[in-house]
Amino acid sequence: MADAVTAEKMTWPEHVGKQGEAVKTAIQTECGDRVTTLEIMAEDSMMTMDYRTDRVRIMVGKDGVVTQAPMIG
């Protein structure tokens, strides 16, 4: 049987080019309790490099538009 984490969606490339807040809402709705932390961050932000299976980072440009595929981590 597949591990629960690897069997679930891990990245959302379809959201590149959309507004960060709308993407955050869509991913939270899709994932429910599996993802407890959704962070919208400027694409040039400093961040920790720890890997967390309950977190999605959404990288946005100055205009609030997603610039990279959001992913678990």
Side-chain angles (χ1 to χ4, degrees):
M1 183 170 168
D3 181 273
V5 173
T6 58
E8 297 288 338
K9 189 170 183 178
M10 302 287 287
T11 186
W12 291 265
E14 67 274 16
H15 290 301
V16 173
K18 298 179 182 176
Q19 286 295 317
E21 286 295 333
V23 170
K24 181 177 178 177
T25 300
I27 293 173
Q28 184 62 62
T29 300
E30 181 179 333
C31 292
D33 293 338
R34 181 171 76 101
V35 173
T36 58
T37 305
L38 284 107
E39 301 172 338
I40 296 177
M41 303 179 71
E43 60 188 344
D44 59 353
S45 293
M46 293 184 71
M47 66 188 84
T48 62
M49 298 306 292
D50 60 322
Y51 184 83
R52 292 183 35 202
T53 59
D54 66 338
R55 176 179 62 204
V56 173
R57 287 186 172 144
I58 302 166
M59 308 307 286
V60 298
K62 292 179 182 177
D63 56 1
V65 173
V66 177
T67 58
Q68 302 172 31
M71 65 180 61
I72 296 283

